[in-house]
Amino acid sequence: MRTVSELEKCLSEPSAALAADLAQLDGDILILGVGGKMGPSLAKLAKRGAEAAGVKKKIIGVSRFSSGTLQKELEDSGIETISADLLNDQALRALPDVPNVIYMAGHKFGTTGREYFTWAMNAYLPGRVAEKYRNSRIVSFSSGNIYPLTPVSLGGASEEHPVGPVGEYAQSCLGRERVFEYFSRENGTPVVNFRLNYAIDLRYGILLEVASAVNEGRPIDLSMGQVNVIWQGDANEMAIRSLLISESPAVTLNVTGPETVSIRWLAERFGEGLGKQPVFTGEERETALLSNASKSHQLFGYPRVSLREMINWTLEWVERGGETLGKPTHFQERTGAF
């Protein structure tokens, strides 16, 4: 992949399994918060998947669209768009009633100092959305941050593991889940709480951050020594397919790749490819933020894009000076301060 357009095409390439599921799914799909990092490629994936399935299905993306050309880009791809501030009750009530809702709205970076806004977006707004779409299926994007740091030897927290969010962002994510769970039980709304970490797009993500640090000779912090990653296209596909497994009471689903990835090992692989020696700071701890996603793999199969493919693609992207979004993941954070 040499260009952003080639990357976008790859991210939105539907599998046969996605097309088959979309053929079974009744009704249109509404994506709330389509303007985030993952939203545009998810919308395009849903549109192309419906076309591959041979079904007529509107894909509608909602965002403030306050700047840039994203709204036109989505419309040029056949996606209907609505410009709206979801925290405005009048604007929320005016949205169309749609049988399938993917909730991607939220706030993470900049939480410190604006905790009130994070709680409004992540815990108050879900209740308003759940009331508005009480008769729809809802897949709500959540985060692996709702788990505590666990021993690396555990292999990641599964859905059965007790939650233990660290910091107000993670706490608000758990609040979002609890609110959707409440309305799922109260109204019988089928819901999936989609606990994701960490999605990889060549323009952002942990692999890009580590590769760029190696390339530029910057030290790599090993205090969060192990991570999970998944190709963004695979994560988006699982989110769309999760509409068909939504239930009341709400379903909880971890979504990430199958490997526990060592940051040191990752940097060494990029060092070999770039002909540079990684520089490290700190030492690996006995605990890390890790998820066990075996349940999602059982339901949907393993991700189509492997870890080694992501590494190779990222290496080529960095070598070519590919476009980046300048949005670090802060995966090293151990105290929950975002």
Side-chain angles (χ1 to χ4, degrees):
M1 287 177 284
R2 297 169 181 264
T3 64
V4 169
S5 60
E6 289 175 351
L7 170 60
E8 291 281 356
K9 183 177 180 180
C10 177
L11 287 169
S12 62
E13 181 69 38
S15 70
L18 174 61
D21 278 1
L22 284 170
Q24 297 179 51
L25 185 71
D26 295 330
D28 301 329
I29 299 175
L30 180 72
I31 304 166
L32 300 177
V34 76
K37 293 192 297 291
M38 296 180 66
S41 60
L42 185 146
K44 294 173 186 177
L45 176 64
K47 183 65 177 178
R48 292 180 66 189
E51 291 172 350
V55 295
K56 291 185 177 180
K57 197 179 296 292
K58 289 182 182 178
I59 310 300
I60 307 166
V62 180
S63 177
R64 282 175 295 179
F65 295 116
S66 54
S67 62
T69 60
L70 177 60
Q71 189 167 15
K72 182 179 186 304
E73 176 188 325
L74 291 175
E75 291 174 351
D76 288 346
S77 298
I79 296 150
E80 297 187 15
T81 64
I82 299 173
S83 179
D85 180 354
L86 295 175
L87 283 174
N88 182 306
D89 276 354
Q90 184 176 357
L92 179 60
R93 289 195 300 270
L95 294 178
D97 293 326
V98 175
N100 304 289
V101 175
I102 298 179
Y103 183 85
M104 307 183 79
H107 187 252
K108 180 177 183 179
F109 302 117
T111 289
T112 301
R114 296 189 74 205
E115 291 84 357
Y116 55 91
F117 181 74
T118 298
W119 281 94
M121 284 297 298
N122 294 352
Y124 164 77
L125 180 57
R128 307 298 299 147
V129 169
E131 282 282 23
K132 163 72 176 176
Y133 291 104
R134 61 192 299 156
N135 297 317
S136 302
R137 305 178 190 90
I138 300 175
V139 172
S140 170
F141 270 66
S142 185
S143 170
N145 285 93
I146 61 92
Y147 294 116
L149 303 182
T150 56
V152 175
S153 59
L154 183 66
S158 68
E159 292 85 353
E160 296 83 6
H161 196 283
V163 296
V166 177
E168 292 211 38
Y169 163 68
Q171 292 164 9
S172 71
C173 288
L174 180 58
R176 174 172 49 208
E177 289 195 12
R178 295 300 191 222
V179 169
F180 272 121
E181 181 183 2
Y182 169 79
F183 284 101
S184 177
R185 291 176 180 272
E186 186 75 7
N187 299 330
T189 304
V191 169
V192 174
N193 282 316
F194 193 83
R195 294 176 179 170
L196 172 66
N197 63 301
Y198 281 95
I200 297 299
D201 172 329
L202 301 184
R203 294 164 294 188
Y204 75 90
I206 292 174
L207 300 193
L208 174 66
E209 291 173 33
V210 174
S212 297
V214 172
N215 191 45
E216 297 165 13
R218 291 183 282 109
I220 298 163
D221 185 359
L222 293 176
S223 59
M224 189 74 80
Q226 295 80 21
V227 294
N228 302 126
V229 296
I230 184 171
W231 181 241
Q232 180 179 293
D234 287 321
N236 280 341
E237 176 161 317
M238 290 183 186
I240 298 167
R241 296 181 67 190
S242 288
L243 288 163
L244 283 175
I245 66 159
S246 58
E247 293 181 3
S248 174
V251 174
T252 298
L253 192 66
N254 290 349
V255 177
T256 194
E259 301 94 351
T260 295
V261 184
S262 160
I263 293 296
R264 184 186 296 272
W265 175 86
L266 192 59
E268 289 171 347
R269 301 291 75 73
F270 284 127
E272 290 171 357
L274 294 165
K276 298 184 178 182
Q277 187 67 36
V279 179
F280 298 109
T281 183
E283 294 289 337
E284 292 89 345
R285 310 282 185 87
E286 294 183 354
T287 60
L289 180 67
L290 296 168
S291 295
N292 178 330
S294 56
K295 180 179 177 182
S296 62
H297 301 154
Q298 178 188 27
L299 290 167
F300 303 125
Y302 285 108
R304 288 190 294 164
V305 177
S306 70
L307 174 62
R308 292 276 185 167
E309 285 177 297
M310 287 186 277
I311 290 173
N312 290 339
W313 292 347
T314 302
L315 178 62
E316 294 170 359
W317 195 261
V318 168
E319 286 181 314
R320 293 181 180 280
E323 177 183 318
T324 65
L325 299 182
K327 296 181 177 180
T329 62
H330 298 280
F331 73 90
Q332 308 93 335
E333 178 58 50
R334 296 181 66 89
T335 63
F338 295 104

